Amino acid sequence: MEDRIIYEKDIQLRVRYKETDQMGVVHHSNYPVYYEYARTELLREKGFTYKMMEEGGVMMPVREVGMKFLTPALYDDLLTIKVMMHNIQGARLRFDHEIRNQAGDLVNTGFVELVFVNATTRRPCHAPAWFKTLFE
């Protein structure tokens, strides 16, 4: 199956003081949190939550995260996080992210790969059929 983007969404988030270092720059540890926020909002827009999946017996742990820092994001910046969901490859699901500041400058790019896992056995499994139909 060809890897392709099947859904994307822009989410806005304002940088809070607690997310910055002494220089007023967003600390690098916050970017995966921003990615997760955008991912959950993308899925919520489609009527889906992680809680629903877990109640259905499937979990989605993170398998891999990658990031590139291009320009600093600063305290009180209004960031736009573009999250792009790729088609499901076996038990894996990948999201790409682009973060821009209010001037439109590309601040950060990154990706997160998740794995569908049976909540009881903790072994990889296929995405639930209802999940796949959300994005067809």
Side-chain angles (χ1 to χ4, degrees):
M1 175 185 283
E2 177 187 340
D3 185 26
R4 60 187 171 79
I5 294 171
I6 61 170
Y7 198 75
E8 65 181 59
K9 179 166 181 58
D10 288 346
I11 307 290
Q12 289 196 311
L13 177 135
R14 187 163 303 276
V15 175
R16 296 161 293 212
Y17 184 78
K18 71 176 190 160
E19 297 163 346
T20 62
D21 60 19
Q22 191 172 9
M23 299 176 288
V25 173
V26 171
H27 190 269
H28 66 275
S29 65
N30 288 293
Y31 287 92
V33 176
Y34 294 168
Y35 297 168
E36 181 181 26
Y37 174 70
R39 237 179 14 254
T40 57
E41 290 305 308
L42 177 149
L43 296 173
R44 187 179 312 281
E45 178 178 272
K46 295 297 280 185
F48 163 80
T49 66
Y50 282 118
K51 182 177 180 180
M52 290 167 57
M53 182 163 285
E54 290 173 359
E55 288 171 349
V58 177
M59 301 177 106
M60 294 177 67
V62 172
R63 180 179 181 272
E64 186 177 358
V65 176
M67 294 182 279
K68 185 180 284 189
F69 302 96
L70 302 158
T71 193
L74 306 172
Y75 168 64
D76 207 40
D77 277 356
L78 182 60
L79 303 178
T80 300
I81 307 164
K82 178 183 284 298
V83 56
M84 297 154 279
M85 185 177 132
H86 290 250
N87 60 311
I88 298 166
Q89 298 278 322
R92 295 177 301 174
L93 179 58
R94 179 183 165 118
F95 293 87
D96 286 332
H97 304 80
E98 294 177 355
I99 300 178
R100 294 182 183 275
N101 62 19
Q102 64 271 8
D105 300 324
L106 189 59
V107 170
N108 174 280
T109 62
F111 72 92
V112 177
E113 186 176 274
L114 303 159
V115 179
F116 292 94
V117 174
N118 179 292
T120 304
T121 66
R122 304 294 170 117
R123 303 291 303 159
C125 64
H126 292 288
W130 63 265
F131 181 87
K132 290 181 183 179
T133 60
L134 290 175
F135 300 97
E136 291 179 341

